[in-house]
Structure formats: C-alpha cells, structure tokens
Amino acid sequence: MGRMSASPAAQPSRKVLLAAPRGYCAGVDRAVIAVEKALEQYGAPVYVRHEIVHNKYVVKTLEKKGAIFVEETEEVPEGNIVIFSAHGVAPVVHEEAERGKLATIDATCPLVTKVHKEAVRFAKEDYDILLIGHEGHEEVIGTSGEAPEHIQLVDGPKDVANVEVRDPDKVVWLSQTTLSVDETMETVDALKGRFPNLLSPPSDDICYATQNRQQAVKQMGAQADLVIVVGSRNSSNSKRLVEVALGAGAKASYLVDYADEIEEAWLDGVATVGVTSGASVPEILVDGVLEWLAARGYEDVETVTAAEESIAFSLPKELRRDLRAEAARAVGES
C-alpha cells in the first residue's frame, strides 16, 4: 500500500479586528457639515482657509461641490465667505478676514476653542504657558497665536531640557488635542521633574475622541499581527494611531488613505488584521479596506469596542445669518 501524502499545513484562520470608536469625531463632523451647509445656503464658491480637516478624500469631495481651499486669508477675493478649519486660527487671522471684507464661518472644533480660552486666561494671569504639541501643526499655530509672548512649544520629552521660564512657580502646561496620551504624560512628567509646581489645565486637553481611538487600538494591537490605520499623512491623530498600535504589540502598522495603497506583501504570515481610522476619516474609506481584505480571505470581522460616543456639537452660529449680504455691505461701506 502506497504511503499517504502529508496533508498541507492548515491555513491559520484569518480575521479582522475592527476598532470602535473610529473615524469621524464630533468636531470633524461639525466642520464638514458646516462647509456643505454653507454651499447649500449661499451657493459656490465658498472659500476654506487650509484643509477643513486633514483628509484627502474629504477635501476632494468638498472641492467637487464648490469649496475652494486656500492657504492664506489674503487669497480670498473681498466680499466672499471664508470658513476657518476645525484646527482653529490665531486672532490675527480673524483680523485679516475683517481687513479683507470677508464674511467668516468659524468651524474650529469646540475642544480646540477650549484650549484657546485656557491660553488667553493663563496669559492674563501672567503664566508662562508650555504648549505640548508638534511644531508647524495648524492647531499649535492657532493656539500659540492667542498669547505668543507667553507660550512656548514643547515638542515631546526630548524638548523639555530646552525650556526656559521666568518664574518656575508660575508655569502651566496645555496641549494639542490630537497627541498620543502616553507620550504627552511622559512629557508632562519630564516637565514636572524640572518644574515641581507646574500647573495642569483644569481639564484634559487631549480630546475624548483621540483618547477613545487610541484606547481601542491598544486593545486591538496586542492581538493583531498587522494594524491598518486609514488616514492622511498630515493627520496628527491618525499618525499617533500607528505609533500606539506598534506600542501595544502589533508586529506591523501602516497608514493608508485608500484601500489600493495596501500592499499584498503586508499580509504574508498574517492571521489577524486590525483596522481603524483617524478622526477625520469617513466610513466609506474603511468599508473599502474591509472589502479589499475580504477579497483576500479576511471575511470574519470582529468589533473591538473601547467606548461609546454620543457627543455632538451644534453648527457654527454664522450659518444662521445671511453672510453674503453682510459681506456685500462690508465691501459697500469701504
């Protein structure tokens, strides 16, 4: 009797862990709807200063509807409407808009506005304000502009040694809302090592959505061979999710805007794929990634839930006024 051939090695069962919460936060939802409503209410064009949120797909979709994205306020022709992005702007930008006879819609996330107000209050009380954040990020530029004489940027724990203050007993820290929670606390601990009387903000500056998405990835990352984060390269909170996934034990993690950016080679030897998305990513892009994975045998999807989110913000008050008429009046009065 001939020998039986050895059976091929069993394929490891393939599955997807889908993080919850993921994708749009309340601040992003509000900002995107603000642009859509402005286009409906006032017609195109509506100008937007900087990307309304850091996501390529969202920006392209809004451009198709008639939004025009500009880098600087001066690029907007007078008498037009300009929307400020979810990341917030410095007071000087509001002044530029007024000088340019522009009607403005401020789509700054209310949680970023909270940090701006903290900066103004502590500056009035003559504190040195240590702003933990990434140099050049729009949110950091906007917050710093509220009190430039009082604020200095601290870009992670490595930057702590460079900090100089006038009075070590009158120092407070604030932070960008989209940072890694763990790295921020590491920076705060290092700052407290130098300034034992360092004051903390009245409530945590890192937004609830950033924290919840990081927590979901921590739970998922420990069980995943590969974590795919859907988000754009200039999205701070999306990049942090990649770092958090690797820190939680994922063997590999990559940031992609679209499913077609995933490389087949990433799946070599991978049984479990974690999927999440940054706070400015619409769910349609996550659906595309899930379809791409299902076509390659990863059809079993299990949701990993870290928190339930029910927060919603009301739309900017300016959408309840006739801004085109206001802008025309401003031009007429000049």
Side-chain angles (χ1 to χ4, degrees):
M1 201 168 93
R3 287 173 58 197
M4 288 179 67
S5 59
S7 62
Q11 276 284 5
S13 63
R14 295 174 175 179
K15 70 172 178 179
V16 173
L17 298 177
L18 183 61
R22 63 184 174 278
Y24 272 15
C25 60
V28 164
D29 200 36
R30 173 182 184 265
V32 174
I33 291 172
V35 179
E36 291 172 340
K37 290 273 187 206
L39 286 163
E40 279 171 32
Q41 203 164 311
Y42 303 117
V46 166
Y47 290 82
V48 184
R49 186 185 182 277
H50 293 174
E51 293 186 352
I52 187 70
V53 295
H54 285 153
N55 184 264
K56 278 186 192 174
Y57 175 88
V58 172
V59 168
K60 282 180 184 166
T61 303
L62 292 172
E63 278 177 336
K64 283 178 191 158
K65 293 181 179 180
I68 297 174
F69 291 86
V70 297
E71 280 305 303
E72 298 304 336
T73 321
E74 289 90 345
E75 295 172 52
V76 183
E78 68 172 29
N80 273 280
I81 294 169
V82 65
I83 301 179
F84 298 138
S85 81
H87 307 103
V89 296
V92 66
V93 176
H94 287 279
E95 291 161 19
E96 288 167 5
E98 206 171 313
R99 281 199 303 275
K101 311 285 188 297
L102 304 175
T104 61
I105 297 173
D106 191 349
T108 302
C109 172
L111 299 177
V112 174
T113 301
K114 174 182 83 77
V115 181
H116 280 224
K117 286 179 175 168
E118 288 168 355
V120 170
R121 179 164 74 81
F122 285 115
K124 272 187 185 151
E125 294 171 17
D126 203 29
Y127 275 80
D128 276 357
I129 301 165
L130 307 180
L131 177 60
I132 301 170
H134 295 302
E135 190 164 3
H137 190 277
E138 283 161 50
E139 188 188 320
V140 163
I141 293 166
T143 303
S144 299
E146 292 287 359
E149 308 80 24
H150 287 83
I151 292 178
Q152 58 184 302
L153 182 64
V154 183
D155 197 341
K158 65 184 185 314
D159 219 9
V160 169
N162 305 323
V163 174
E164 289 181 19
V165 300
R166 294 166 300 158
D167 178 355
D169 291 327
K170 211 158 187 202
V171 189
V172 63
W173 71 270
L174 302 176
S175 88
Q176 185 180 327
T177 61
T178 53
L179 300 180
S180 151
V181 178
D182 293 341
E183 188 183 338
T184 301
M185 293 328 293
E186 196 186 321
T187 307
V188 170
D189 289 344
L191 285 168
K192 283 182 175 167
R194 286 200 58 198
F195 311 110
N197 294 330
L198 179 72
L199 193 64
S200 296
S203 64
D204 199 343
D205 284 347
I206 297 176
C207 91
Y208 77 93
T210 299
Q211 296 189 45
N212 289 347
R213 280 151 190 69
Q214 288 178 17
Q215 194 52 45
V217 167
K218 272 187 185 175
Q219 287 173 218
M220 190 177 74
Q223 309 165 58
D225 303 308
L226 164 71
V227 173
I228 293 172
V229 178
V230 186
S232 291
R233 299 283 183 283
N234 61 343
S235 164
S236 176
N237 79 86
S238 300
K239 287 198 290 193
R240 299 295 81 73
L241 290 175
V242 171
E243 293 166 8
V244 169
L246 294 169
K251 296 182 183 71
S253 183
Y254 300 98
L255 184 64
V256 299
D257 263 298
Y258 304 103
D260 63 10
E261 293 175 12
I262 304 170
E263 295 181 20
E264 300 267 359
W266 297 350
L267 300 176
D268 286 352
V270 167
T272 304
V273 181
V275 174
T276 189
S277 57
S280 46
V281 176
E283 192 63 7
I284 189 172
L285 300 180
V286 176
D287 292 341
V289 168
L290 295 178
E291 285 163 21
W292 189 96
L293 289 167
R296 287 153 182 84
Y298 297 84
E299 293 172 284
D300 178 15
V301 178
E302 179 189 322
T303 301
V304 177
T305 305
E308 297 291 338
E309 290 181 353
S310 57
I311 291 176
F313 297 130
S314 57
L315 287 172
K317 61 185 184 302
E318 298 93 345
L319 284 165
R320 299 192 282 275
R321 307 203 311 255
D322 186 353
L323 292 185
R324 288 261 182 238
E326 289 177 31
R329 268 199 305 278
V331 173
E333 287 163 9
S334 60

